[in-house]
Amino acid sequence: MGRNNERNIKKHNDKLHKAQNKKKQAEVARKEKLKEIVKKFNEDKKEEK
């Protein structure tokens, strides 16, 4: 039984792509959250003046 048969390659690629997508989603969510924090911080600064 070969290790590089089509089913094993597909299973591995699916797992890899799922992990990559999860990482990308986390990065996007982090950027969105940072944008919100910066926006709120800037609004608070304006109110103090």
Side-chain angles (χ1 to χ4, degrees):
M1 191 170 106
R3 287 170 48 144
N4 287 335
N5 64 29
E6 286 297 317
R7 198 180 84 208
N8 288 345
I9 292 171
K10 183 180 179 341
K11 199 183 295 184
H12 171 76
N13 285 341
D14 289 348
K15 191 174 182 181
L16 180 68
H17 294 148
K18 187 176 181 182
Q20 288 173 341
N21 286 340
K22 190 174 181 182
K23 185 177 176 185
K24 194 178 281 187
Q25 288 285 339
E27 202 171 295
V28 168
R30 202 176 305 118
K31 284 182 182 177
E32 290 288 325
K33 190 132 185 139
L34 185 64
K35 275 185 194 174
E36 286 180 31
I37 291 169
V38 169
K39 187 176 177 183
K40 185 163 178 35
F41 180 78
N42 287 337
E43 287 175 358
D44 290 346
K45 281 285 189 184
K46 284 180 185 175
E47 289 175 5
E48 286 179 6
K49 289 184 178 180

